[in-house]
Coordinates of all heavy atoms in Angstrom, one line a residue:
E309 N 78.0 62.2 99.2 CA 78.2 62.7 97.9 C 78.3 64.3 97.9 O 79.1 64.9 97.1 CB 77.0 62.4 96.9 CG 77.0 60.9 96.6 CD 76.0 60.5 95.6 OE1 75.4 61.4 95.0 OE2 75.8 59.3 95.4
F310 N 77.6 65.0 98.8 CA 77.6 66.4 98.9 C 77.7 66.9 100.4 O 76.8 67.5 100.9 CB 76.3 67.0 98.3 CG 76.3 66.7 96.8 CD1 75.5 65.6 96.3 CD2 77.0 67.5 95.9 CE1 75.5 65.3 95.0 CE2 76.9 67.2 94.5 CZ 76.1 66.0 94.1
P311 N 78.8 66.5 101.1 CA 79.0 66.8 102.4 C 78.8 68.3 102.9 O 78.3 68.5 103.9 CB 80.3 66.2 102.8 CG 81.1 66.2 101.5 CD 80.1 66.0 100.4
A312 N 79.4 69.2 102.1 CA 79.3 70.6 102.4 C 77.9 71.1 102.4 O 77.5 71.8 103.3 CB 80.2 71.5 101.5
V313 N 77.1 70.8 101.3 CA 75.7 71.2 101.2 C 75.0 70.5 102.4 O 74.1 71.1 103.0 CB 75.1 70.7 99.9 CG1 73.6 71.1 99.8 CG2 75.9 71.4 98.7
F314 N 75.2 69.2 102.6 CA 74.5 68.6 103.7 C 74.7 69.3 105.1 O 73.7 69.5 105.8 CB 74.9 67.1 103.8 CG 74.3 66.2 104.8 CD1 72.9 65.9 104.6 CD2 74.9 65.8 105.9 CE1 72.2 65.2 105.6 CE2 74.3 65.0 106.8 CZ 72.9 64.7 106.7
A315 N 75.9 69.6 105.4 CA 76.3 70.2 106.7 C 75.6 71.6 106.8 O 75.1 72.0 107.8 CB 77.8 70.3 106.8
A316 N 75.7 72.4 105.6 CA 75.1 73.7 105.6 C 73.5 73.6 105.9 O 73.0 74.4 106.6 CB 75.3 74.4 104.3
C317 N 72.9 72.7 105.2 CA 71.5 72.5 105.4 C 71.1 72.2 106.8 O 70.2 72.8 107.4 CB 70.9 71.5 104.4 SG 70.9 72.0 102.7
L318 N 71.8 71.2 107.3 CA 71.6 70.9 108.7 C 71.7 72.0 109.7 O 71.0 72.1 110.6 CB 72.5 69.7 109.1 CG 72.2 68.3 108.4 CD1 73.1 67.2 109.1 CD2 70.8 67.9 108.7
S319 N 72.7 72.8 109.4 CA 72.9 74.0 110.3 C 71.8 75.0 110.3 O 71.6 75.7 111.3 CB 74.3 74.7 109.9 OG 74.0 75.5 108.7
G320 N 70.9 74.9 109.3 CA 69.8 75.8 109.2 C 68.6 75.1 109.5 O 67.4 75.6 109.2
G321 N 68.6 73.8 110.0 CA 67.4 73.1 110.4 C 66.8 72.4 109.2 O 65.5 72.0 109.3
V322 N 67.5 72.2 108.1 CA 66.9 71.4 106.9 C 67.7 70.2 106.7 O 68.9 70.1 106.6 CB 67.0 72.4 105.7 CG1 66.5 71.6 104.4 CG2 66.3 73.7 105.9
D323 N 66.9 69.0 106.6 CA 67.5 67.7 106.2 C 67.3 67.5 104.7 O 66.1 67.1 104.4 CB 67.0 66.7 107.1 CG 67.8 65.5 106.9 OD1 68.4 65.2 105.8 OD2 67.6 64.4 107.7
P324 N 68.3 67.8 103.9 CA 67.9 67.6 102.4 C 67.6 66.3 101.9 O 67.2 66.0 100.8 CB 69.2 68.2 101.8 CG 70.3 67.8 102.8 CD 69.7 68.0 104.2
R325 N 67.9 65.3 102.8 CA 67.5 63.9 102.4 C 66.0 63.7 102.4 O 65.5 62.8 101.6 CB 68.1 62.8 103.5 CG 69.6 62.8 103.4 CD 70.2 62.0 104.6 NE 69.9 62.6 105.9 CZ 70.3 62.2 107.1 NH1 71.2 61.0 107.1 NH2 70.0 62.8 108.2
I326 N 65.3 64.5 103.2 CA 63.8 64.3 103.4 C 63.1 65.6 103.2 O 61.9 65.6 103.2 CB 63.5 63.7 104.7 CG1 64.0 64.6 105.9 CG2 64.0 62.2 104.8 CD1 63.5 64.1 107.3
Q327 N 63.8 66.6 103.0 CA 63.1 68.1 102.8 C 63.7 68.8 101.6 O 65.0 68.7 101.4 CB 63.4 68.9 104.1 CG 62.8 68.4 105.3 CD 63.2 69.3 106.5 OE1 64.3 69.1 107.1 NE2 62.3 70.3 106.8
P328 N 62.9 69.4 100.8 CA 63.4 70.4 99.9 C 64.2 71.5 100.5 O 63.9 71.9 101.6 CB 62.2 71.0 99.2 CG 61.1 69.9 99.5 CD 61.4 69.5 100.9
I329 N 65.2 72.0 99.8 CA 66.2 73.0 100.4 C 65.6 74.4 99.9 O 65.4 74.7 98.8 CB 67.5 72.8 99.7 CG1 68.1 71.4 100.1 CG2 68.5 73.9 100.4 CD1 69.3 71.0 99.3
P330 N 65.3 75.3 100.8 CA 64.9 76.7 100.5 C 66.1 77.4 99.8 O 67.2 77.3 100.3 CB 64.5 77.3 101.8 CG 65.3 76.6 102.8 CD 65.4 75.2 102.2
V331 N 65.9 78.0 98.7 CA 66.9 78.6 97.9 C 66.5 80.0 97.4 O 65.3 80.4 97.4 CB 67.3 77.8 96.6 CG1 68.0 76.5 97.1 CG2 66.2 77.5 95.8
A332 N 67.5 80.9 97.1 CA 67.3 82.3 96.7 C 68.7 82.6 95.9 O 69.6 82.1 96.1 CB 67.0 83.2 97.8
P333 N 68.4 83.5 94.9 CA 69.7 84.0 94.1 C 70.5 84.7 95.1 O 70.0 85.5 95.9 CB 69.0 84.9 93.0 CG 67.6 84.4 92.9 CD 67.2 84.1 94.2
A334 N 71.8 84.7 94.8 CA 72.8 85.5 95.7 C 74.0 85.8 94.8 O 74.4 85.2 93.9 CB 73.2 84.7 96.9
C335 N 74.5 87.0 95.1 CA 75.7 87.5 94.3 C 76.7 86.4 94.4 O 77.2 86.0 95.5 CB 76.3 88.8 94.8 SG 77.8 89.4 94.0
H336 N 77.4 86.0 93.2 CA 78.2 84.8 93.3 C 79.5 85.0 92.5 O 80.6 84.5 92.9 CB 77.5 83.6 92.6 CG 78.3 82.4 92.6 ND1 78.7 81.7 93.8 CD2 78.7 81.6 91.6 CE1 79.3 80.6 93.5 NE2 79.4 80.5 92.2
Y337 N 79.5 85.9 91.5 CA 80.7 86.1 90.6 C 80.6 87.3 89.9 O 79.5 87.8 89.4 CB 80.9 84.8 89.7 CG 82.2 84.8 89.0 CD1 83.3 84.2 89.6 CD2 82.4 85.4 87.7 CE1 84.6 84.2 89.1 CE2 83.7 85.4 87.1 CZ 84.8 84.8 87.7 OH 85.9 84.8 87.1
H338 N 81.7 88.0 89.7 CA 81.7 89.3 88.9 C 82.4 89.0 87.6 O 83.6 88.6 87.5 CB 82.4 90.3 89.7 CG 82.4 91.8 89.1 ND1 83.3 92.8 89.3 CD2 81.5 92.3 88.3 CE1 82.8 93.8 88.6 NE2 81.7 93.5 88.1
M339 N 81.7 89.1 86.5 CA 82.3 88.9 85.2 C 83.2 90.1 84.8 O 84.1 89.9 84.0 CB 81.2 88.7 84.1 CG 80.7 87.2 84.0 SD 79.5 86.8 85.2 CE 78.1 87.6 84.8
G340 N 83.0 91.2 85.4 CA 83.7 92.4 85.1 C 85.1 92.4 85.8 O 85.3 91.6 86.7
G341 N 85.9 93.4 85.4 CA 87.2 93.5 86.2 C 88.2 94.4 85.4 O 87.8 95.1 84.5
I342 N 89.4 94.3 85.9 CA 90.5 95.0 85.3 C 90.9 94.3 83.9 O 91.2 93.1 83.9 CB 91.8 94.9 86.2 CG1 91.4 95.5 87.6 CG2 92.9 95.7 85.6 CD1 92.3 95.1 88.7
V343 N 90.8 95.1 82.9 CA 91.0 94.5 81.6 C 92.5 94.1 81.4 O 93.4 94.8 81.7 CB 90.7 95.5 80.5 CG1 91.0 95.0 79.1 CG2 89.2 95.9 80.5
T344 N 92.7 92.9 81.0 CA 94.0 92.3 80.8 C 94.1 91.6 79.4 O 93.1 91.2 78.8 CB 94.4 91.3 81.9 OG1 93.6 90.2 81.7 CG2 94.4 92.0 83.2
D345 N 95.3 91.4 79.0 CA 95.5 90.5 77.7 C 95.6 89.1 78.2 O 95.5 88.8 79.4 CB 96.6 91.0 76.9 CG 98.0 90.9 77.6 OD1 98.0 90.3 78.7 OD2 99.0 91.6 77.0
E346 N 96.1 88.2 77.2 CA 96.2 86.9 77.5 C 97.4 86.5 78.5 O 97.5 85.4 79.0 CB 96.4 86.0 76.2 CG 97.6 86.2 75.6 CD 97.6 87.3 74.6 OE1 96.8 88.3 74.7 OE2 98.5 87.4 73.6
H347 N 98.2 87.5 78.8 CA 99.4 87.3 79.7 C 99.1 87.9 81.0 O 100.0 88.1 81.9 CB 100.6 87.9 79.2 CG 100.9 87.2 77.7 ND1 101.3 86.0 77.6 CD2 100.9 87.8 76.6 CE1 101.5 85.7 76.3 NE2 101.3 86.8 75.7
G348 N 97.9 88.4 81.2 CA 97.5 89.1 82.5 C 98.0 90.5 82.7 O 97.9 91.1 83.8
T349 N 98.5 91.0 81.5 CA 98.9 92.5 81.5 C 97.8 93.4 81.4 O 97.0 93.3 80.6 CB 99.9 92.7 80.3 OG1 101.0 91.7 80.4 CG2 100.6 94.0 80.3
A350 N 97.8 94.4 82.4 CA 96.8 95.5 82.3 C 97.3 96.7 81.5 O 98.4 96.7 81.1 CB 96.5 96.0 83.8
A351 N 96.4 97.7 81.4 CA 96.7 98.8 80.6 C 97.8 99.7 81.2 O 98.5 100.5 80.4 CB 95.4 99.7 80.4
L352 N 98.0 99.6 82.5 CA 98.9 100.5 83.2 C 100.3 99.7 83.2 O 100.3 98.5 83.6 CB 98.5 100.9 84.6 CG 97.3 101.7 84.7 CD1 96.9 101.9 86.1 CD2 97.5 103.1 84.0
P353 N 101.4 100.3 82.9 CA 102.7 99.6 83.1 C 102.9 99.1 84.4 O 102.6 99.9 85.4 CB 103.8 100.5 82.5 CG 103.1 101.9 82.6 CD 101.6 101.6 82.4
G354 N 103.6 98.0 84.6 CA 103.8 97.5 86.0 C 102.7 96.8 86.7 O 102.9 96.2 87.8
L355 N 101.5 96.8 86.1 CA 100.3 96.2 86.7 C 99.8 95.0 85.9 O 99.7 95.0 84.7 CB 99.2 97.2 86.7 CG 97.8 96.8 87.5 CD1 98.1 96.5 88.9 CD2 96.7 97.8 87.2
F356 N 99.5 93.9 86.7 CA 99.0 92.7 86.2 C 97.8 92.3 87.1 O 97.6 92.8 88.2 CB 100.1 91.6 86.2 CG 101.3 91.9 85.5 CD1 102.3 92.7 86.1 CD2 101.5 91.5 84.2 CE1 103.5 93.0 85.3 CE2 102.7 91.8 83.6 CZ 103.6 92.6 84.1
A357 N 96.9 91.5 86.5 CA 95.8 91.1 87.2 C 95.3 89.7 86.8 O 95.6 89.3 85.6 CB 94.6 92.0 87.0
A358 N 94.8 88.9 87.7 CA 94.4 87.5 87.4 C 93.2 87.1 88.3 O 93.1 87.7 89.4 CB 95.5 86.5 87.5
G359 N 92.4 86.2 87.8 CA 91.3 85.7 88.5 C 90.1 86.5 88.4 O 89.9 87.3 87.5
E360 N 89.2 86.6 89.5 CA 87.9 87.2 89.3 C 88.1 88.8 89.2 O 87.3 89.5 88.7 CB 87.1 86.9 90.6 CG 85.6 87.3 90.4 CD 84.7 86.8 91.5 OE1 85.2 86.0 92.3 OE2 83.5 87.2 91.6

Side-chain angles (χ1 to χ4, degrees):
E309 294 189 9
F310 298 97
V313 176
F314 183 67
C317 288
L318 290 185
S319 74
V322 176
D323 186 340
R325 296 171 295 186
I326 59 175
Q327 294 172 275
I329 305 166
V331 294
C335 179
H336 184 62
Y337 191 86
H338 192 206
M339 276 77 75
I342 304 161
V343 174
T344 67
D345 64 12
E346 69 271 25
H347 304 294
T349 306
L352 299 174
L355 181 65
F356 302 81
E360 193 172 349

